[in-house]
Amino acid sequence: DELDRRVAIKLLHAGRGAPGREQRARLRREAQALARLSHPNVVQVYEIGETLEQTFVAMEFVRGVTLQAWLAERARGTDEVVEVFLQAGRGLAAAHAAGLVHRDFKPENALVGADGRVRVLDFGLARGHEVAPEPRPGGAPAPDLDAPLTATGALLGTPAYMAPEQIQAGDAPLDARADQFSFCVALYEALYGERPFAGANLERYVAAVEAGEVRAPTATRAVPSRLRQALLRGLRHRPDARWPDMDALLAALDPRPARARLRQLGLVLAAALGVLVIGAGVWAAVRSWQAYQREAV
């Protein structure tokens, strides 16, 4: 109040699977780590606390829209989409460098500010409930791919964007390559207008991922082969077959090095053409002088 600073407040509601003391301590440590992370593409966290039996996080207030809403506003060019995702990717890379894994990256969890800057938010702040999936009763329908899963689903995240090892993790730890998979699903969807793997439910989705069945794009947008190959590598089933880290993926997606190489090639070709023109001029001048001397003799 004294500083007249507007902040966003996130409340982590208590429920049937409310975290115990150990989970709350881990949540606090994670929020503290994120609060120490200062990066232009990550929402700044100011404070974490508890009030009325609820855990709250106070963070930067951003004037803008979610990346999902930004994509839906109007048709976006390939370069425009890639540039926005590169910003989000840099935020993920910065978090990974600080030892944080997002676990639920999707277009709804990134904000495009009115200033054009992208901020990633919700870095696994509710991961205290992460346990092995509970078996469903016989005949129970598979979870909706678009439905966020929380404590009642025994998984955190949104299945349509989750890496297969996250869905089937059990007690196994996850690393940053799970975020890389989610990032590639989101960017693929933004470029092609559909997700890379078909599947109306969780089982079919996981089967398509395990088989590497990336469906052929039906959109008319021309996506450069370089981008598609970079995404396909990030979407591989085995984490060790993906890019080694987000920085490597972003370098493969960034069009600027390729453009710089084209400009350099253009300069070389222009210089070579200039040399040819000058050489042709000199040759013509020499021939003309020789002809003149013969006539004079």
Side-chain angles (χ1 to χ4, degrees), residues 196-199 203-214:
F197 301 102
E203 278 82 1
R204 293 180 182 177
Y205 169 76
V206 172
V209 174
E210 289 179 345
E213 295 176 349
V214 177

Side-chain angles (χ1 to χ4, degrees), residues 1 25 40 49 53 63 67 92 99 106 109 137 153 174 192 207 234 272 275 281:
D1 291 338
E53 298 184 354
R63 295 187 181 276
L67 178 52
L92 287 175
K106 55 185 177 180
N109 283 340
L174 297 173
Y192 291 104
V275 169

Side-chain angles (χ1 to χ4, degrees), residues 21-231:
R21 180 180 302 176
E22 180 180 349
Q23 288 76 18
R24 288 177 183 271
R26 184 170 64 174
L27 171 64
R28 182 177 297 275
R29 287 195 301 270
E30 188 164 11
Q32 289 171 343
L34 187 57
R36 290 194 297 269
L37 174 60
S38 179
H39 190 276
N41 298 124
V42 176
V43 166
Q44 184 68 56
V45 170
Y46 300 132
E47 181 183 5
I48 182 171
E50 294 180 7
T51 182
L52 301 178
E53 298 184 354
Q54 290 182 326
T55 300
F56 73 88
V57 181
M59 49 191 157
E60 174 187 5
F61 180 84
V62 180
R63 295 187 181 276
V65 297
T66 66
L67 178 52
Q68 182 182 48
W70 181 87
L71 290 166
E73 283 178 350
R74 59 178 176 83
R76 305 283 182 178
T78 297
D79 288 350
E80 188 179 10
V81 170
V82 171
E83 175 53 36
V84 165
F85 271 84
L86 284 174
Q87 291 189 55
R90 294 184 193 112
L92 287 175
H96 295 164
L100 299 174
V101 180
H102 193 292
R103 291 177 174 79
D104 192 23
F105 179 81
K106 55 185 177 180
E108 292 177 82
N109 283 340
L111 298 175
V112 182
D115 56 0
R117 180 155 56 93
V118 179
R119 283 89 147 179
V120 181
L121 66 157
D122 285 351
F123 277 86
L125 293 180
R127 74 177 197 173
H129 302 303
E130 185 175 302
V131 296
E134 295 176 354
R136 294 190 304 277
D144 184 345
L145 287 179
D146 289 301
L149 300 180
T150 56
T152 56
L155 274 175
L156 287 178
T158 306
Y161 298 94
M162 287 166 63
E165 68 270 21
Q166 183 175 358
I167 295 174
Q168 302 171 329
D171 295 327
L174 297 173
D175 62 25
R177 291 171 296 186
D179 284 349
Q180 181 187 140
F181 185 96
S182 302
F183 177 89
C184 288
V185 171
L187 179 51
Y188 188 104
E189 181 182 23
L191 290 174
Y192 291 104
E194 60 186 0
R195 292 170 188 149
F197 301 102
N201 57 44
L202 193 58
E203 278 82 1
R204 293 180 182 177
Y205 169 76
V206 172
V209 174
E210 289 179 345
E213 295 176 349
V214 177
R215 52 185 167 189
T218 58
T220 57
R221 182 201 296 263
V223 177
S225 174
R226 172 184 60 83
L227 289 181
R228 181 171 178 81
Q229 293 306 313
L231 290 175

